């Protein structure tokens, strides 16, 4: 099973991808997480992309191509994967099509999570990530504002640099002007599952599962 989770930044792809990965026992591949890890480790890739990602720009396709080929052809992804944050350009979509055509067992699902820009800005400005266990929370939706609801660590929340409002607005414009075209690319190729990403997390999960079963 190969799932492509598509949607604007902040629509909830990461949260849903983690859940689906566990449910279907497939690997969650977040290109954003891979890049953040590279930046944190100051690897050659990290040094190249640090400025680009902090401004909310897209990392160039040639850099993403190396990263995605290496990831998707690795042994641990041979039974399937869930892609979160890739593809974001038509060139990336074309490369993915080529990679998928080489995979022996194909069962591709394309899920589009939908949300209004206003909801996304509200969500991202209040988004925090637990630095201990990686859980993503919205500060408005948890009762204890400085305790991770998953691992109970205190004061472990960090705000991503690109979750500042000006950067969020830029990321949304990149999504609308560039990434959104990817949806059209897939329109005649796969059955697109559309799910409202602004519902409660549990309802979004259920709606995705129901659509996959159908
Ligand atoms: P995300 O966590 O998916 O929102 O990604 C964070 C940042 O990483 C994005 O704003 C981009 O700068 C970069 N990035 C992640 N995935 C890609 C991609 N497929 N193509 C280009 N840049 C990406």
């Amino acid at each position: 099973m190969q799932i492509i989770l598509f949607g604007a930044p902040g629509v909830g792809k990461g949260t849903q991808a983690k859940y689906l990965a566990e449910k279907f026992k497939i690997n969650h591949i977040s290109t954003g997480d891979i890049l953040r890890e590279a930046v944190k480790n100051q690897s050659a890739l990290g040094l190249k992309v640090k400025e680009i990602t902090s401004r909310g720009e897209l990392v160039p396709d040639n850099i993403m191509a190396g990263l995605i080929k290496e990831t998707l052809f690795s042994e641990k992804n041979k039974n399937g994967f869930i892609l979160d944050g890739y593809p974001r350009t038509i060139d990336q979509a074309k490369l993915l099509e080529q990679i998928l055509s080489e995979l022996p067992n194909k069962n591709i699902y394309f899920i589009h999570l939908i949300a209004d820009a206003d909801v996304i800005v509200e969500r991202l400005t209040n988004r925090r990530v637990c630095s201990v266990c990686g859980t993503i929370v919205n500060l408005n939706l948890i009762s204890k504002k400085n305790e991770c609801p998953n691992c109970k660590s205190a004061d472990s929340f960090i705000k991503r640099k690109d979750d500042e409002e000006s950067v969020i607005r830029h990321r949304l414009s990149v999504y609308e002007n560039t990434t959104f075209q990817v949806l059209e690319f897939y329109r005649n190729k796969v059955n697109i599952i559309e799910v409202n990403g602004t519902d409660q997390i549990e309802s979004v999960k259920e709606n995705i599962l129901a659509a996959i079963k159908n």
Side-chain angles (χ1 to χ4, degrees), residues 9-10 13 30-33 35-36 49 52-54 56-61 64 84-89 92 127 160 162 171:
K13 298 190 295 298
S30 157
T31 45
D33 282 352
L35 294 170
R36 274 184 290 280
V49 303
I52 304 172
T53 54
S54 67
E57 303 284 354
L58 291 182
V59 171
D61 286 338
M64 293 309 296
D84 156 12
Y86 190 99
R88 270 170 143 111
T89 66
Q92 293 182 9
R127 174 164 76 176
R160 279 171 47 172
D162 58 354
R171 288 162 66 204

Side-chain angles (χ1 to χ4, degrees), residues 65-179:
L67 184 156
I68 205 74
K69 279 191 209 155
E70 189 187 319
T71 309
L72 296 189
F73 285 128
S74 92
E75 188 60 21
K76 64 180 179 195
N77 292 318
K78 77 172 192 316
N79 294 326
F81 47 77
I82 172 156
L83 270 179
D84 156 12
Y86 190 99
R88 270 170 143 111
T89 66
I90 299 283
D91 269 4
Q92 293 182 9
K94 287 184 179 160
L95 175 63
L96 179 62
E97 200 177 29
Q98 198 187 317
I99 296 173
L100 289 174
S101 74
E102 291 175 34
L103 295 181
N105 303 316
K106 274 187 293 292
N107 191 12
I108 302 165
Y109 295 87
F110 188 102
I111 301 167
H112 175 204
L113 289 182
I114 303 168
D116 282 346
D118 288 349
V119 176
I120 286 173
V121 173
E122 186 280 332
R123 275 192 184 177
L124 290 183
T125 44
N126 291 298
R127 174 164 76 176
R128 298 292 183 275
V129 184
C130 172
S131 56
V132 177
C133 72
T135 294
I136 303 163
V137 299
N138 180 322
L139 283 184
N140 287 340
L141 300 180
I142 54 171
S143 48
K144 294 183 182 168
K145 308 291 176 206
N146 59 355
E147 182 183 296
C148 172
N150 181 47
C151 71
K152 310 291 176 207
S153 298
D155 300 319
S156 61
F157 291 139
I158 45 173
K159 183 174 181 174
R160 279 171 47 172
K161 281 206 174 63
D162 58 354
D163 279 347
E164 295 301 333
E165 186 160 346
S166 61
V167 184
I168 293 169
R169 296 210 179 268
H170 184 63
R171 288 162 66 204
L172 282 173
S173 78
V174 170
Y175 175 75
E176 279 158 23
N177 297 328
T178 307
T179 304

Side-chain angles (χ1 to χ4, degrees), residues 1-15:
M1 170 182 232
Q2 295 82 20
I3 300 177
I4 302 169
L5 249 192
F6 184 83
V11 73
K13 298 190 295 298
T15 303

